[in-house]
Amino acid sequence: MVRLYIIGVSILLVAIICNFIVSKLGIASWYDFLENITKNEPNNLSLIDYLWLFLLYPLCLGLGYLLGDYISNLIFR
C-alpha cells in the first residue's frame, strides 16, 4: 500500500512540474483543451498543443510512475 502511495505522489509531482513548465511555455493544458471543447472551438489549439496533450504528457506521467517505482524499490529493499 505504501508503494502505491509513493508511486501516486511521484506521478502527482511530475504532473505539477509538467503543468507549470507548459504554462510558462504557452502550451495548452488539459484545462485549456476542455474549455475549448465545451465552447466548440477545438481548432483554437495548435499541433504542438495536441502533441503535448496526447503524446508527451502521458509519457511524462508514465515516467512519473517509473520514478515512483524506482524510489519505492530503493526504500523497500
Side-chain angles (χ1 to χ4, degrees):
M1 190 62 134
V2 175
R3 178 180 176 271
L4 289 176
Y5 177 75
I6 292 170
I7 291 171
V9 169
S10 175
I11 293 170
L12 177 63
L13 290 175
V14 167
I16 290 169
I17 291 167
C18 285
N19 285 325
F20 176 75
I21 292 170
V22 164
S23 70
K24 294 297 181 188
L25 294 175
I27 299 172
S29 68
W30 280 107
Y31 304 109
D32 301 324
F33 175 76
L34 292 174
E35 185 177 324
N36 284 330
I37 293 296
T38 57
K39 292 180 179 179
N40 289 328
E41 299 173 348
N43 294 332
N44 286 346
L45 300 176
S46 69
L47 177 63
I48 292 176
D49 295 329
Y50 283 109
L51 286 174
W52 165 251
L53 291 171
F54 292 100
L55 182 67
L56 298 174
Y57 190 64
L59 284 173
C60 288
L61 295 181
L63 290 175
Y65 168 83
L66 290 176
L67 177 65
D69 187 46
Y70 178 76
I71 292 170
S72 67
N73 286 335
L74 285 177
I75 292 172
F76 296 114
R77 276 191 175 185

